[in-house]
Amino acid sequence: MMSADQENLDMTHRDITLLLAGAADEVEIGIAPYQAVIRGGRRRRARRWAIAAATTLVLAGSTGATLALAGLPGEGGNRVAPAATQPASPEARHVYVPQRTTLATGIDQGKKWRVHIDVWGVPRDETEARLQLDAMRRSGERPPVRQASDLVGKTSYFVGRSVGDGKSSTIMFNTVKKVEPMSAGDSQFAAVPLDPGTSGPDRLVVGQVAKSTEQVTCTWKDGTTSVVHRVPGYDVNGDQGVIRPAAGSPQNWFVCLGPKGTGSKSVGVPK
């Protein structure tokens, strides 16, 4: 007979993450799983994004609270973006092929790099969900669910990067039923090495902000800063960091790339 200790050891990290995510939906977040700093204001229920690397996901709110945590999959708060009338077919709803937006691209040390976001449409039933999960797996994207039916009624987001001829590597991802609109001054971002095959400094910062945000300032550990501004469309100019919309996403997205040899210190968003 297997002991209780052995059964606990057999639980996978994904199982534990999913259980914690379910429990977290019932409470407000206080002290985050990793280092957290709360600078005042009322505690707010955080939007939880999973991160695909051993790094830090940061949420900063207009309430003045800043949390650094390991993101968990889950739903947003009670505020929901207005739902548009959806086309009938799964193909028109982007259930089997996601809407992809290039967020930034450039050349670093002779290698071309690119950051993109994939937004998968909402499956309406288990059949659509199974076909969507198969398509996700073929593309190398794995949602934080135990089975295909968990995708029904939910939108999935994957932010990835690629460098040179290497395959795309996921930075952060989420599968949610409801989306909480972000307010002025809110931000949520991940800082990772530019090249997924290295353990270098976290000089690539990718995040989301409210649609109204005009400017984001990325501060680096060497004391320098990078400032990105909002653009109205989807055109990408190489090596020019901007805040841009992403097809299928209710928020705008930004990308900052720091100087060689330094990492991310902070991100500032005006209220």
Side-chain angles (χ1 to χ4, degrees), residues 14 23 30 46 53 57 67 93 103 118 159-160 174 176 180 186 190 201 220 222 236:
R14 179 176 289 270
L57 177 68
L67 296 179
R93 288 183 281 117
L103 300 177
D118 286 345
V159 180
N174 204 359
V176 292
E180 180 184 358
D186 285 355
W220 311 104
D222 66 357
V236 177

Side-chain angles (χ1 to χ4, degrees), residues 202-218:
D202 297 336
R203 54 191 290 249
L204 178 66
V205 176
V206 183
Q208 55 181 326
V209 291
K211 289 284 189 181
S212 61
T213 300
E214 296 282 351
Q215 176 181 301
V216 173
T217 301
C218 296

Side-chain angles (χ1 to χ4, degrees), residues 34-80:
Y34 290 167
Q35 181 182 7
V37 179
I38 300 179
R39 296 177 179 169
R42 67 177 179 84
R43 288 183 298 176
R44 60 197 299 271
R45 192 176 184 185
R47 290 168 292 276
R48 289 175 297 278
W49 279 66
I51 50 178
T55 184
T56 299
L57 177 68
V58 177
L59 304 102
S62 56
T63 60
T66 299
L67 296 179
L69 65 153
L72 296 176
E75 298 178 4
N78 295 324
R79 293 179 295 164
V80 182

